[in-house]
Structures are given as C-alpha cells and as structure tokens.
Amino acid sequence: MIDETHAAARTSWVTSANGHPAFPIQNLPLGVFSPVGGSARGGVAIGDSILDIGAALEAGLFSGAARDAAEAASGRTMNPLLEAGPAARHALRRRVGEILDAASLDASKVQGISARLLHDAASSSIHLPARIGDFTDFYAGIHHAHTAGSISRPENPLMPNYKYVPVAYHSRASSVRPSGGTVRRPNGQRKPPEQAAPDFGPCRNLDYELEFGIWIGEGNDLGAPIPIAEASRHIAGFCMLNDWSARDIQAWESQPLGPFLAKSLSTFISPWIVTAEALAPFRIAQPPRPSGDPAPLPHLNDAADQAKGCFDIDFQVLLLTPKMRAAGAAPHVLSRSNAAMLYWTVAQMVAHHTSNGCNLQPGDLFGSGTISGTTPGTEGCLLEMTRGGRNPVSLPNGETRTYLQDGDEVSFRGTAHRDGYVSIGFGECRGTVTEALPAG
Amino acid sequence: MIDETHAAARTSWVTSANGHPAFPIQNLPLGVFSPVGGSARGGVAIGDSILDIGAALEAGLFSGAARDAAEAASGRTMNPLLEAGPAARHALRRRVGEILDAASLDASKVQGISARLLHDAASSSIHLPARIGDFTDFYAGIHHAHTAGSISRPENPLMPNYKYVPVAYHSRASSVRPSGGTVRRPNGQRKPPEQAAPDFGPCRNLDYELEFGIWIGEGNDLGAPIPIAEASRHIAGFCMLNDWSARDIQAWESQPLGPFLAKSLSTFISPWIVTAEALAPFRIAQPPRPSGDPAPLPHLNDAADQAKGCFDIDFQVLLLTPKMRAAGAAPHVLSRSNAAMLYWTVAQMVAHHTSNGCNLQPGDLFGSGTISGTTPGTEGCLLEMTRGGRNPVSLPNGETRTYLQDGDEVSFRGTAHRDGYVSIGFGECRGTVTEALPAG
C-alpha cells in the first residue's frame, strides 16, 4: 500500500534525514540499539539519528494501536512487533512519521524534547534487530546458480529442479551478526585436487555473497502452510545480507548433505529492518520467465505476486584493502546488481518453505541467495567474478584478488528508487576479515 | 565420572521407580512439564512420577550450589541450567538423588509432603525441555550412509569425505516436537523418474530415522573453537530423535544444497534430557577404525575420546499400524540397533562443528544421523530396510510396508545397560502419521 507516508514532499525536523541516502522520513526502519552508556532498546533510524521508541512512549507521544505497537517495538528485540503483524507495523510507521515530520502539528513540541528522544547513530551500538529463530538461505539468484554451477559442471550448470523448486537450505542462526564487526578466517578441512587426503588449516578461498535478507513477521502453525496469496502478510521487512563463504571447505564437505561449516563461520546483515511498508513503492512486476521455462507449479503461481512481487533495489559491493586504507583511498566498487535479478519472489519463498507444513516464527530470517547479473561487473561473489579463482580481479591501485585476504573490508550498499519517490536505503552491511587462529 | 549416584543398591521411596525400565533413581532426567491444570515448569522423571523442582525449592529442600541449579532448572525451559554447565547439573543430580532416596535421612520428611512434590507423569503434558537455538543433524551412522548411498550410487556408496569429515547439515529447529503427537504427511514436489516434470502432492515415501540426540550445555563464543579434549564439558545430555523424512521430496529438492523440506516437516524427540552424568557408566571405547580407514585429523583425534567416547545404548524401532491397533496387537519391533554403531563420537561432532569458529549455544540440539547396523533387522529407517522401497517389509499380521501409511505409529525405545549397573532408558519417542492436507 502506497500512502501519504511515502509522499516525496515530506521532510523531517531531524534535518540530517532530508536527503539522507538511507534513512529519510520515508523509510523509518526498525532496529535495536544501545546509546552510549545505555542498555539495548528499540529504535527507528532517522537521518544520522535514532528515535528511542521507549523514550517517545514515556513522553506520551503514542496512543491507541500505535501505542501498542510502540510498546512491542521498545524492548531488546523486535520479535514482539514482528509477531504483531502488518497492521501494528503500519500504525507505528504512521505515528512515527507524524512525530518526526517537520510539518506536523507536534513538531515544535517534539523538537523541544528531542534531546530525550534522539541518539546519535554513529556513537550508538547497533544490535541484531531480532532474536533469529531459524535462518534459511535460498538460492534464488539464477545467474549466480548458473555461473557457480558452470564452474563445477560446465555441461550442466543448472540442476533439473532449479526452475521448479525455490532451492534453499537451512543455515546457521547463531552466527548471524550485525554489520560492523570482524569475521575471523575459519580453519577447516581442505582437499585440493592435487592432494591425496585433506588437511586442516586456514581457509584459502574466503568469499562474500551479496544477498537480500527477508524478516518474517507473523508465523504459522506447524502443519498449516501459508498459501502464496497470503505470503505477504508474513513478510515484515528486509535487509542486506553477506553470507561469508569458505569455498575450499565447502567443496570438500558438501556431499551429500550440502554446505555446513563453509557457511556457519558468520553471516552479516544490515541491522535495520526496512519494512515491507517502506518498500511498497519499489515493488515491480516479475520479469516474464524466459521462453521455454516451465510455469511455476500452482502453489507457487499467483497473479498478484507476478504483478508486484519483485523489488527494484540497486546493490553495490565495495572492497577496501589494507593498502587502500593506508593510502586513504575510498572503497572500490567491485560489482553492481539488483534485487530484480532473483528468479523467485519472496512470496514464492514463503509459500514453498511452508508448503510441507513447516512453521515459520516471528524473527526468522531468509537470505535470497547470491544476487548476480549476467554481465561482467554484476557478480555477487568472488567465486563468480574470478571464475573459481582462475581470473584475478584487478583493483585500481594495482592489487589483485582471487579471494579475500586478511584485513580486507567488504561492504554492501543498497538503494531503492523510483521516479517521483524519495530513495531509501538499507544502511551498512560491512565486515573485515581477520587472520585465522593457529590451526592446531 | 561414576560415583554413588549410580550405585545399583539405591532405591527410591517413589516405588514405581524401582525396576522402572527408563527412570529409576539412577537416571533422574530433566524435563519441562505441565501438571493437569498447571503451568509449564521444570521437573525430574522418577518412575511413573515427576518431581516438581520448583515445589521442592519452595519446600526448602535445596541449598548451596544445588539450590542455584534447582532455580535454573525450575522454569519453563532448561536453558538456564544447560548454560550453567556440568558442575551445576551434577550438584542438582546429587541432591535430587538424596531427596528421592529411600534410605536418605530426609526420606520420611520428604514423603510426608510428596503430594506437593510429585505429579503423575501419564496425566501431565511433557514439553520440549529447552528452547532450541539451532538444530544440527549429523550423518555419523556409517552403515546408514553406506546403505542409503548404495541405493542411489551402487558403485560409490560412501562419499570420499565420509571418513574425514563428520558430515552434517543445518536442520530446522522450529519444527522439533516432543514425543506423543501426530506428524502430518507433507505435500511437496515429487518427480519420479517416469515423470517428465514434477507435480505437487502428498509425500508417497514417508520415513522415520532412528537417531541419538545430543543437547548442548555451555556454549562457545563465535570465533572460539572447542578443542576435542574440552568437548565433553559442552555436552549436557541426550535423547532419542526421530527425523521424519520425506524421501521423494528429498530426492528431487536436494541438489545442490542438501535436504530442506524433506526434513522440516517435523522432528520428534524423547522429551527428557538424560544427562551426561547419568550415562557415565555406559560409555565405552570407540571400536577401532577398520583397517585401511584413515586416522582422524589431529583436531578430531583424542585418546580419552577413543577410550570412552561411545555409548552402549540399545535402540528399538516399533511400528503399530491401524489394523494392529484395531486388533489389540502390540507394536511390532521393526529393528534393533545400538549407539556404538556411530562412526563419529559426540566429542568429535562438537569439535568439528566449532572448528571453523561456529558458536554453539545452550539448548542447541544435534542429531547423530540414522543409527543402523550391518545386518537385516538393524536398519534405522525404511529406506534402508526396504532398499529404497523395492523390498516391502512383512508384518506379523500379514500387512506389508514400503514406507509409512496414514495412521501408522512409530516409536523408539532406548536402554543403556552394563553389568553391575541399573539400566536406564530414555522414555518415549512416539508419533503417528496423519493424512496430508488437500494439495491445492
């Protein structure tokens, strides 16, 4: 639903929000933060600041449904708000927008207490926004699946199930972390083809994966699938997700049950939940399936989803090496991609995931799978960009990379845009590789 | 550590415990239950009764470390006790044993208030004992891996990594359920070889998998592996686990990322945590690796683990069909197996799982993988027993089964025994298949 909360003319009395690349008043993403010296609590990102939802409650700025929603969003996790569903999120969004609107009747009164309501985002700690029950990683980036598959199976890059099944695997919830930290290079079993037996040591082929993250709101009961036409009701919001991947460990461990330690070393996310409501204007039609592709099976086939199930969100992957950092250089844009490159919509993911009766819970997280395009410079990971490490990438300062080196910082940017609307973004999904522990 | 809590001469004033097949005073497993009309709370199974830990606390029966442990074990989940580690579990075990001991000084005083302390197990609801963070399913049953592999790959049944990597996959935590309920036959995508394209409908090849379950106690920090010599400190207890499996869905969906919806329909466990302390007498040496097998890599190789890393636990799989139930027949023992059949120890599982820095959390659950022997009648699932559905199993009443039919009840029994010690068991892991929902 596109409504007045998206109006391009709105500005905030929080002046850093106006023209902010990620968090103008049209976004209002939800998260959990600790201000300097304070405890963890719910907040809304607005420009360079964070609105403290509990402080706004204490100031009496909420009533009715918005008050209930604000209470659910004021604690150490957003799970209660996620569970409360879309009406609660929308009531909160509408009222927070009024509170922060430069033109609202309350503006001068609220500005007078802004010292109580607002915290500086840069000096706050930003936490995971929710307690993640289960983390499911899809494989919906068809160009990634094709390119990655062609490296190991040139004759048969896409598996026969790919265009029928929104392929996914259960991944590790405990090691999901918010943007900004370090990821330690893992040790693991590696068996290059030239070795007769594996050994144990530091991953040599550490990679990132650019993914779109999906936050589940209302859950479903075990044994009660969510029909595709009702899927959007269960999708609360979105983030960017870096599925750090240890390619050499993955190649050796994955048969026959899929990736395990190659993925559980850590997964980073942008920590603000950009709500489904905020992204409503940026939904677009599914591109028609290429000629010859099968139609989705009936339980994955929905006209409304085809009409607006995709998102027009531009992503960038940036790399900053230690040498670039020492020289004061800016991060280098390694690749650019777009969420519309995904073969399956988020509604199809929800319908598929629950089609066997599996229960989703508020705070479950999905990854989309790596989002890549079809042309050079649109690859969502180094495995694709370097064709399995064979073609190193050249950086502007003369360095090259096949896979990540210690000290390398990878960051993602994501921006949703549409003519006539103010662009919104996802904030930061950034992490730096640190050296492996001694292997034994 | 084997100590006086295991003494065979001990009996309880709870007379149903003496000679009880699962819960004599030598066991004292931990769980969460609701008595009739009451709320969920922590308890200890003793014979046909459950000791209410909170009621025993209120009666002043605990002090010191045992009191702290009892407080951690009295709530709606055992996670606080799991987090508190082995010393807390042991203090609780020792004091609960004293409280329930027929020969203790307290016995007559405690018996006098037994109406407050004890609840009838059969009329109580038994819940999951902990909030499960992540559920990891291993593949450590080498005979299962070999037989299952030989059905799809006769020339190469075991993957090259099998004897180096304790193969595992992330599975679904939200759909783990305690014994006693129903499991709905899932719908899903099926593509038999004779069909050109998949369709969506009820699973035709619904199976059980007999597994040993492992409860994680103390966790580790992300990036800080648990060395194998310290693994036992992190293993709190054990259960039986039925990893319901939809074989036809699995065959179609699993490439290239492993099983997904085939496993998330539900996983059943015996709901009592049989502690590592209770099972101490039943630990045995790892059988020597067959000649020609590689030694475990150093990080998985530990002399103490080889000396007592396995368990002598007998398991049975029982089937009760609707016809058998109608005729008043007892469940039929389909197969018998033993935990010593596992190729990898639980300490090797913990060391492998964390070797990349992955963090475990209190209340994480592992499945061992299907436990099968090498001879007919020792298969841990129908896939093996029927050789992929080709050889139906005959039941005593003349019925046959390839896979499970609606109304079939599958239950597991598990008993640990050793000369000179009182046998202990796991209670019940039982579930009944119900018909699929309409598929469209």
Side-chain angles (χ1 to χ4, degrees):
Chain A
M1 182 173 60
I2 303 176
D3 61 18
E4 72 278 10
T5 66
H6 304 99
R10 294 182 94 193
T11 58
S12 176
W13 54 264
V14 181
T15 52
S16 65
N18 305 321
H20 194 278
F23 305 137
I25 194 170
Q26 288 80 8
N27 192 346
L28 305 177
L30 301 160
V32 174
F33 73 105
S34 297
V36 176
S39 59
R41 65 195 71 180
V44 175
I46 179 75
D48 297 332
S49 298
I50 303 171
L51 175 74
D52 184 326
I53 296 172
L57 269 167
E58 279 176 28
L61 295 178
F62 291 100
S63 64
R67 183 182 168 86
D68 294 342
E71 281 175 351
S74 60
R76 299 181 68 89
T77 78
M78 284 288 158
N79 295 75
L81 182 72
L82 294 172
E83 185 166 10
R89 279 197 314 278
H90 196 74
L92 182 63
R93 170 181 175 80
R94 184 177 295 274
R95 178 58 189 150
V96 168
E98 288 172 359
I99 291 169
L100 295 170
D101 193 328
S104 82
L105 297 174
D106 291 334
S108 65
K109 169 187 155 196
V110 175
Q111 265 189 281
I113 57 167
S114 66
R116 281 154 58 192
L117 300 181
L118 295 182
H119 297 275
D120 175 48
S123 56
S124 299
S125 298
I126 319 291
H127 309 294
L128 287 182
R131 189 185 61 251
I132 300 167
D134 283 286
F135 166 35
T136 299
D137 202 15
F138 281 84
Y139 195 54
I142 188 169
H143 309 307
H144 167 72
H146 192 280
T147 305
S150 72
I151 293 167
S152 48
R153 300 178 306 274
E155 73 296 342
N156 182 27
L158 277 188
M159 292 290 178
N161 60 9
Y162 191 86
K163 293 177 178 177
Y164 294 96
V165 178
V167 170
Y169 66 103
H170 309 292
S171 196
R172 182 80 192 173
S174 73
S175 53
V176 178
R177 289 291 180 272
S179 171
T182 57
V183 58
R184 188 174 288 288
R185 181 181 300 276
N187 288 303
Q189 292 194 29
R190 312 157 305 180
K191 202 197 86 58
E194 68 275 13
Q195 276 180 215
D199 58 12
F200 181 78
C203 168
R204 298 186 181 105
N205 299 349
L206 185 61
D207 203 355
Y208 58 83
E209 288 190 336
L210 169 68
E211 301 195 22
F212 190 38
I214 297 111
W215 288 103
I216 297 299
E218 279 182 270
N220 61 303
D221 289 336
L222 185 62
I226 298 172
I228 188 167
E230 294 171 25
S232 65
R233 176 166 186 86
H234 298 267
I235 298 165
F238 302 89
C239 62
M240 300 184 295
L241 186 150
N242 182 352
D243 189 35
W244 300 103
S245 297
R247 301 295 183 194
D248 44 355
I249 296 172
Q250 185 174 353
W252 173 237
E253 74 173 357
S254 292
Q255 286 303 321
L257 299 180
F260 180 56
L261 299 185
K263 299 292 189 170
S264 63
L265 58 126
S266 209
T267 301
F268 277 28
I269 61 170
S270 59
W272 293 100
I273 301 175
V274 177
T275 64
E277 293 71 35
L279 281 173
F282 309 101
R283 300 196 79 130
I284 56 175
Q286 267 190 279
R289 289 193 156 200
S291 152
D293 282 12
L297 289 178
H299 67 297
L300 301 176
N301 202 339
D302 181 70
D305 187 45
Q306 279 152 28
K308 56 170 193 172
C310 285
F311 293 89
D312 186 5
I313 302 173
D314 281 331
F315 294 112
Q316 295 183 359
V317 178
L318 300 98
L319 177 67
L320 182 70
T321 70
K323 274 195 187 167
M324 291 162 66
R325 192 184 296 112
H332 170 65
V333 178
L334 274 179
S335 69
R336 298 165 198 272
S337 187
N338 189 290
M341 294 290 155
L342 297 168
Y343 192 76
W344 299 101
T345 66
V346 295
Q348 287 173 320
M349 293 177 196
V350 166
H352 175 67
H353 201 316
T354 64
S355 64
N356 69 339
C358 180
N359 57 323
L360 304 181
Q361 297 181 310
D364 283 352
L365 177 67
F366 294 177
S368 63
T370 306
I371 306 174
S372 301
T374 55
T375 55
T378 64
E379 304 91 343
C381 64
L382 287 170
L383 172 77
E384 290 176 73
M385 195 172 294
T386 68
R387 293 299 184 268
R390 288 192 288 271
N391 306 335
V393 178
S394 294
L395 303 178
N397 67 354
E399 288 186 281
T400 62
R401 284 293 182 274
T402 49
Y403 290 101
L404 296 171
Q405 296 189 5
D406 293 347
D408 285 353
E409 176 192 282
V410 176
S411 57
F412 297 163
R413 288 183 192 145
T415 310
H417 48 74
R418 177 178 166 190
D419 285 350
Y421 290 84
V422 172
S423 294
I424 66 175
F426 287 79
E428 180 175 88
C429 183
R430 184 170 56 84
T432 304
V433 177
T434 58
E435 64 183 358
L437 293 172
Chain B
M1 184 173 60
I2 303 176
D3 62 18
E4 72 277 11
T5 66
H6 304 100
R10 295 182 93 193
T11 58
S12 177
W13 54 263
V14 181
T15 54
S16 65
N18 305 322
H20 195 278
F23 305 137
I25 194 171
Q26 288 79 7
N27 193 345
L28 305 178
L30 302 160
V32 175
F33 74 107
S34 297
V36 177
S39 59
R41 64 195 72 181
V44 175
I46 179 75
D48 297 332
S49 297
I50 304 170
L51 175 74
D52 183 326
I53 296 172
L57 268 168
E58 279 175 28
L61 295 177
F62 292 100
S63 63
R67 182 182 169 84
D68 294 343
E71 282 176 351
S74 60
R76 299 182 68 89
T77 79
M78 285 288 160
N79 295 74
L81 182 71
L82 295 172
E83 185 166 8
R89 280 197 313 276
H90 197 73
L92 181 64
R93 169 180 176 79
R94 183 177 295 274
R95 178 58 189 150
V96 168
E98 288 172 0
I99 292 169
L100 294 171
D101 193 327
S104 83
L105 297 174
D106 292 335
S108 65
K109 169 185 156 199
V110 175
Q111 267 189 279
I113 57 167
S114 67
R116 281 155 58 191
L117 300 180
L118 295 181
H119 298 275
D120 175 47
S123 56
S124 299
S125 299
I126 319 291
H127 309 295
L128 287 182
R131 189 185 60 251
I132 301 167
D134 282 286
F135 166 36
T136 298
D137 203 15
F138 282 84
Y139 195 54
I142 188 168
H143 308 307
H144 167 73
H146 193 280
T147 306
S150 72
I151 293 168
S152 48
R153 299 178 307 274
E155 71 297 341
N156 181 28
L158 278 188
M159 292 288 177
N161 59 8
Y162 191 86
K163 293 178 177 176
Y164 294 96
V165 178
V167 170
Y169 66 102
H170 308 293
S171 195
R172 182 80 192 174
S174 73
S175 54
V176 178
R177 288 290 180 275
S179 171
T182 56
V183 58
R184 189 174 287 289
R185 181 181 300 277
N187 288 304
Q189 291 194 29
R190 313 158 304 180
K191 201 199 85 59
E194 68 275 15
Q195 276 180 213
D199 58 12
F200 181 78
C203 169
R204 298 187 180 105
N205 298 350
L206 185 62
D207 203 354
Y208 58 82
E209 288 190 335
L210 169 68
E211 302 196 23
F212 191 38
I214 297 112
W215 287 103
I216 297 301
E218 280 181 90
N220 62 303
D221 290 335
L222 184 63
I226 298 172
I228 188 166
E230 295 172 24
S232 65
R233 177 166 184 86
H234 298 268
I235 298 165
F238 302 90
C239 63
M240 299 185 295
L241 186 149
N242 182 351
D243 189 35
W244 300 104
S245 298
R247 301 296 184 195
D248 44 355
I249 296 172
Q250 185 174 353
W252 173 237
E253 74 173 359
S254 292
Q255 287 301 324
L257 298 179
F260 181 55
L261 298 185
K263 300 291 190 171
S264 64
L265 57 126
S266 209
T267 301
F268 278 28
I269 61 170
S270 59
W272 293 100
I273 301 174
V274 177
T275 64
E277 292 71 34
L279 281 174
F282 310 101
R283 300 196 76 130
I284 57 176
Q286 265 191 280
R289 288 191 158 203
S291 151
D293 281 11
L297 290 177
H299 68 297
L300 302 176
N301 202 339
D302 180 70
D305 187 44
Q306 278 152 30
K308 56 170 193 170
C310 284
F311 293 88
D312 187 5
I313 302 173
D314 281 332
F315 294 111
Q316 295 183 358
V317 178
L318 299 98
L319 177 67
L320 182 70
T321 70
K323 276 195 185 165
M324 291 163 67
R325 190 183 297 112
H332 171 64
V333 178
L334 275 180
S335 69
R336 298 165 198 273
S337 187
N338 188 290
M341 294 290 155
L342 296 168
Y343 192 77
W344 299 102
T345 66
V346 295
Q348 287 172 319
M349 292 177 197
V350 166
H352 175 67
H353 202 317
T354 63
S355 64
N356 69 341
C358 180
N359 57 321
L360 304 181
Q361 297 182 310
D364 282 353
L365 178 66
F366 294 177
S368 63
T370 306
I371 305 175
S372 301
T374 55
T375 54
T378 64
E379 304 91 342
C381 64
L382 287 170
L383 173 76
E384 289 177 72
M385 194 172 294
T386 68
R387 294 299 185 268
R390 288 193 286 271
N391 306 334
V393 178
S394 294
L395 304 177
N397 67 354
E399 288 185 281
T400 61
R401 286 291 182 275
T402 48
Y403 289 101
L404 296 171
Q405 296 189 5
D406 293 347
D408 285 354
E409 176 192 281
V410 176
S411 57
F412 298 162
R413 288 183 193 145
T415 311
H417 48 72
R418 177 179 167 189
D419 285 351
Y421 290 84
V422 173
S423 294
I424 65 174
F426 288 78
E428 181 174 88
C429 184
R430 184 170 57 83
T432 304
V433 177
T434 57
E435 65 182 358
L437 294 173

